Amino acid sequence: MSDSIVYLNGAFMPIDEARVPVLDRGFIFGDGVYEVIPVYGKRLFRLDEHLDRLANSLDATRIPNPYPESEWKKNLSQIVMKHQFEDQSVYVQVTRGVAKRDHAFPETITPTVFMMSNPLQVIDIDTFNKGVSAITLDDIRWQYCNIKAITLLPNILLKQTAVDEGAQEAILVRDGEVTEGSASNIFIVIDGVIKTPPKSSRLLPGITRDLIVELAANNHINCVESNFSRTELSAADEVWLTSSTKEVLPIVKLNDEIIGDGKPGPISRKMYEIFQVYKAQLRQNED
Ligand code: PDD
């Protein structure tokens, strides 16, 4: 097995030695929340934004935030420094903790905190140039998709349906409107204008999504946060996904239809390039 070092409840240890009791509510109920934070050149990407979203997920699920921001930052930078690879993907999970099985919250309980880091498999230019295929599926998830909950069974089933059909992602549609991917946010381009659904309880407020909206504005590229239908998605000139691990990943085939001319379009390429420049700057920042 791996000798990777992980963090569990205040201590660093080899992953093979990390143990969580079977009565942990994360294991029993999926009662917990998580974050995935990319690291470029050993620097945590948009850390404040990730910690804000974690705090929001904890608030929404009424799990007490186990640490002040300064302690999160200290622990996170330690986990990064304990791994030699420059680019990492740090996984953070907080569950409500260990208690006798009962749906209602126990009166006193201490959250379980787990963190691990893996090498980040970045989307290279070849993958970008090829693009990926996706299928559309009904969004069968719950009403609080803004919470980054570990309870991911619907997302897993949706993603597996896509994989079974030879596609990389499932694009979800609720009441005729496109929400996001099973593990990513979505952008389309119609007549030169970028569109992404506005933040709501129907989708995860992606950190990469927010950055793309911000970078588009900074570069005077027209981008609107507005809902669009399944029909508009099919008619789009360009479509791409964003996430901490996918960065900006074009979809060139949707169900059996080709998007645009079957290659990543010029605005997707521009946003990918702007994103790469942003990353390169992050690597060079002084600590
Ligand atoms: N998922 N929407 C969903 C449902 C997601 O699961 C994710 C990310 C995103 C994109 O968010 P961000 O840009 O902050 O990564 C949107 C992570 C990567 C995962 O579950 O592994």
Side-chain angles (χ1 to χ4, degrees), residues 34-36 38 50 53 91 141 145 148 152 155 169 172 180-185 203-210 242-246:
Y34 77 107
E35 275 298 316
V36 176
H50 278 283
R53 187 173 65 184
Y91 178 82
R141 302 173 302 161
C145 297
K148 201 158 170 62
L152 286 173
N155 304 61
E169 182 57 302
L172 310 179
E180 59 177 342
S182 73
S184 53
N185 293 111
L203 54 105
L204 188 80
I207 306 298
T208 325
R209 169 208 180 276
D210 285 356
T242 62
S243 83
S244 295
T245 45
K246 296 185 184 78

Side-chain angles (χ1 to χ4, degrees), residues 15-172:
I15 191 163
D16 297 349
E17 288 171 23
R19 296 276 180 276
V20 178
V22 289
L23 283 181
D24 192 281
R25 289 175 62 103
F27 181 61
I28 296 286
F29 291 124
D31 183 1
V33 300
Y34 77 107
E35 275 298 316
V36 176
I37 313 176
V39 171
Y40 298 108
K42 295 249 164 107
R43 287 169 177 87
L44 287 144
F45 180 78
R46 301 228 128 186
L47 179 56
D48 288 340
E49 288 82 351
H50 278 283
L51 289 179
D52 279 355
R53 187 173 65 184
L54 178 61
N56 290 339
S57 295
L58 289 166
D59 269 2
T61 48
R62 295 162 62 191
I63 297 174
N65 195 330
Y67 306 138
E69 201 181 285
S70 56
E71 199 170 337
W72 276 117
K73 288 187 171 169
K74 191 184 81 195
N75 290 328
L76 282 160
S77 68
Q78 284 190 42
I79 194 101
V80 169
M81 289 310 160
K82 285 180 192 295
H83 292 85
Q84 60 185 29
F85 19 95
E86 288 288 302
D87 292 356
Q88 305 178 20
S89 167
V90 176
Y91 178 82
V92 181
Q93 174 170 314
V94 184
T95 73
R96 197 175 308 277
V98 182
K100 183 170 169 292
R101 185 179 183 279
D102 182 357
H103 287 64
F105 307 162
E107 262 173 34
T108 51
I109 187 164
T110 310
T112 301
V113 183
F114 172 66
M115 294 187 227
M116 63 180 168
S117 185
N118 288 297
L120 180 68
Q121 310 290 350
V122 280
I123 298 296
D124 56 29
I125 189 71
D126 291 341
T127 314
F128 176 91
N129 283 337
K130 281 195 205 101
V132 297
S133 62
I135 59 170
T136 47
L137 291 174
D138 270 351
D139 195 343
I140 54 166
R141 302 173 302 161
W142 66 335
Q143 310 273 357
Y144 302 107
C145 297
N146 53 315
I147 302 174
K148 201 158 170 62
I150 60 170
T151 333
L152 286 173
L153 200 46
N155 304 61
I156 288 167
L157 293 175
L158 290 160
K159 174 70 165 238
Q160 189 58 41
T161 305
V163 170
D164 291 346
E165 295 192 19
Q168 270 85 349
E169 182 57 302
I171 307 296
L172 310 179

